[in-house]
Amino acid sequence: MLHVTETTSKTHSPEFRLAADALRGLRRDLFHDAFAYRPLPRMRVDGPLTRRLPGPLREYAAWLPHAVIVAAALLTLPLGTIDTGSPWLLAGPLCALPVLLTLVRPVGAFWLSMAATPVLGVLGGSWGDWPWTAGAFASHLAVLTIVAVRTRPRTAGWMWVVTALYGAVAEASGYGPSYYYYSTNTGPMLVVSALVLLCVSVWHIRRDAEQEVTAQQTETAQERSKRTLLEERTTIARELHDVVAHHMSVVAIQAEAAPYRVENPPPELERAFATIRENAVAALTELRRVLGVVRAEDYEAPDAPQPTLGDLDALLANVRDAGLGVEKTVTGAVRELPQGVELSAYRIVQEALSNTLRHAPGASAKVEIGYVLGGLGLRVVNTPPPAPALVKPSPGAGHGITGMRERVTMLNGDMTAAPTDDGGYEVTVFLPVVTPGEDAA
């Protein structure tokens, strides 16, 4: 059925499709929810003139559009009854009600004005104009203007077309005052209403253009602020790269040269300095890989594989050499996970163990990895540091926990990090992994 409909629509001419689109626009603008309740909002009082008014007057100024509409409705009352021979209790309200209705139901007010026009024309038989009497003329023109202001230019165009069709049909019907003062005013109505609707449409277009320009300026200012902040962060990152890289290089050189400054150094000391140098070189390489991109726009990061859970044993051996006793437990069927999950899991374990080295020197840690259905579970828990600690804990700013949470949030996972009952610390993470079968379902 859908294929047949698409094939049929393609066989129609461009003129037919244009006419169909026009009819859909007419139905959407003037017929769909024509009498929907749309109250006129109060006017904003933050303009260049209204903001200078005192407080009480500024509150009253917000009701200025409503007051103007009520005044226009009151103005049509005498026009609908003076010198027309119409019963004033009927003609006056028929002129004023459509104008007042624009306050709450703008499109419905237009249709009420169209319905009241022939009634007023019949009631005001002694008036020399057809099809609009003076009151109907003023009322319909006011309604067109208000509805055009409250809606959009396309709706105003459809209202003008319906008004022109009514005028043409009314004149073609031959009905009207039979004496010689009879004259039609469809032409003046169309000309005056066209000028008014044109002015309102131009106002709409200018207001939309100003709003678009304001939005673009605001967006440009925000982008400029972000760019300035990014440039400042880039400058700080470059300085950080230079400072840390320099000191890490010094540490690596001194760790390499230290054993040669001691006569017959013990093997433990040589291994300790070798571990320090390896860590310094690894940290320097990682620092250049991460922060080196800000050195220049044409910087190319070295082509090196990202660490995965398969590299976890090397990480654990590294922290053991640094003095942290750590055990690893793996449960479940080991399987290959997406690269983002593997990297995030590795970094989370790395950061958790680094926090243990900094904040709980002398403690031991346990790393548990669980391959479960639907994801990967991680648990890193450390014991409290020994009471007579030889090394004092290093103060931290909490960026490690924040970084872990950001990685977990990026993968829509869950994380808890809190002290344990015995004084240690525990980090528990679950990273969801969608299997191909689940994704297809």
Side-chain angles (χ1 to χ4, degrees):
M1 167 106 37
L2 180 60
H3 176 71
V4 173
T5 303
E6 292 179 352
T7 305
T8 305
S9 62
K10 291 180 180 180
T11 59
H12 291 153
S13 63
E15 292 80 5
F16 178 85
R17 290 197 297 269
L18 182 62
D21 292 340
L23 290 177
R24 280 194 296 268
L26 173 63
R27 183 175 64 251
R28 185 165 50 249
D29 292 338
L30 294 186
F31 291 95
H32 182 67
D33 290 337
F35 287 87
Y37 182 69
R38 299 169 186 170
L40 177 66
R42 292 193 299 173
M43 184 181 69
R44 296 178 58 181
V45 292
D46 55 353
L49 296 178
T50 54
R51 70 162 61 103
R52 299 180 182 178
L53 297 174
L57 290 180
R58 191 181 304 121
E59 294 181 1
Y60 290 125
W63 297 99
L64 182 60
H66 303 74
V68 171
I69 293 176
V70 173
L74 294 176
L75 181 62
T76 61
L77 281 174
L79 293 177
T81 57
I82 296 175
D83 295 334
T84 62
S86 304
W88 64 273
L89 287 178
L90 181 59
L94 281 178
C95 293
L97 282 177
V99 182
L100 293 176
L101 191 60
T102 58
L103 290 170
V104 290
R105 306 181 192 275
V107 180
F110 167 75
W111 289 116
L112 180 60
S113 177
M114 292 298 303
T117 297
V119 177
L120 290 171
V122 173
L123 293 177
S126 62
W127 183 262
D129 288 331
W130 174 261
W132 280 277
T133 63
F137 193 100
S139 175
H140 193 67
L141 190 60
V143 169
L144 287 177
T145 304
I146 298 170
V147 177
V149 171
R150 293 203 57 192
T151 55
R152 51 183 176 176
R154 191 178 71 179
T155 305
W158 283 123
M159 291 190 302
W160 187 88
V161 170
V162 173
T163 301
L165 290 176
Y166 169 76
V169 171
E171 292 185 3
S173 64
Y175 182 85
S178 58
Y179 55 90
Y180 92 52
Y181 290 109
Y182 165 75
S183 63
T184 63
N185 56 3
T186 300
M189 167 60 76
L190 296 181
V191 172
V192 175
S193 61
L195 292 176
V196 172
L197 296 181
L198 178 61
C199 293
V200 174
S201 299
V202 171
W203 173 79
H204 270 294
I205 294 173
R206 176 170 179 172
R207 186 191 62 174
D208 294 342
E210 289 178 351
Q211 291 177 352
E212 184 177 356
V213 170
T214 302
Q216 290 179 353
Q217 290 177 348
T218 303
E219 184 178 358
T220 302
Q222 293 176 351
E223 292 296 331
R224 188 182 300 112
S225 177
K226 291 180 180 179
R227 185 167 60 251
T228 302
L229 180 61
L230 182 60
E231 291 175 354
E232 293 177 356
R233 289 182 176 179
T234 301
T235 302
I236 295 173
R238 287 176 177 173
E239 295 177 356
L240 177 66
H241 177 272
D242 294 340
V243 172
V244 176
H246 168 72
H247 289 290
M248 293 302 294
S249 300
V250 172
V251 169
I253 294 174
Q254 290 182 348
E256 185 178 8
Y260 299 100
R261 298 183 179 182
V262 180
E263 185 176 357
N264 299 323
E268 296 82 2
L269 182 61
E270 291 184 352
R271 286 198 300 271
F273 279 115
T275 302
I276 294 174
R277 182 183 181 280
E278 291 175 358
N279 287 333
V281 172
L284 186 60
T285 303
E286 189 72 15
L287 179 67
R288 285 172 176 168
R289 181 182 304 153
V290 175
L291 297 180
V293 71
V294 302
R295 297 293 297 169
E297 295 181 358
D298 56 350
Y299 177 86
E300 293 184 0
D303 187 10
Q306 295 292 336
T308 63
L309 290 177
D311 303 316
L312 201 57
D313 291 336
L315 174 64
L316 299 182
N318 196 320
V319 296
R320 289 191 186 101
D321 292 340
L324 176 63
V326 58
E327 297 179 359
K328 185 184 77 168
T329 303
V330 180
T331 59
V334 179
R335 63 184 186 275
E336 185 178 356
L337 301 176
Q339 183 178 1
V341 176
E342 293 267 356
L343 175 61
S344 296
Y346 179 90
R347 294 301 187 194
I348 290 171
V349 174
Q350 182 184 41
E351 185 61 37
L353 295 178
S354 299
N355 287 342
T356 302
L357 284 171
R358 287 194 297 266
H359 305 305
S364 60
K366 181 183 295 184
V367 177
E368 299 177 1
I369 303 174
Y371 291 85
V372 297
L373 182 64
L376 176 72
L378 299 174
R379 181 174 179 265
V380 182
V381 58
N382 62 268
T383 61
L390 299 178
V391 182
K392 294 182 179 181
S394 301
H399 297 305
I401 298 295
T402 302
M404 286 190 284
R405 290 192 187 279
E406 289 177 351
R407 290 184 180 274
V408 173
T409 303
M410 180 180 61
L411 296 174
N412 297 322
D414 296 321
M415 171 181 166
T416 58
T420 59
D421 295 336
D422 60 354
Y425 204 83
E426 179 179 353
V427 176
T428 306
V429 173
F430 176 75
L431 301 177
V433 178
V434 179
T435 61
E438 295 174 347
D439 194 17

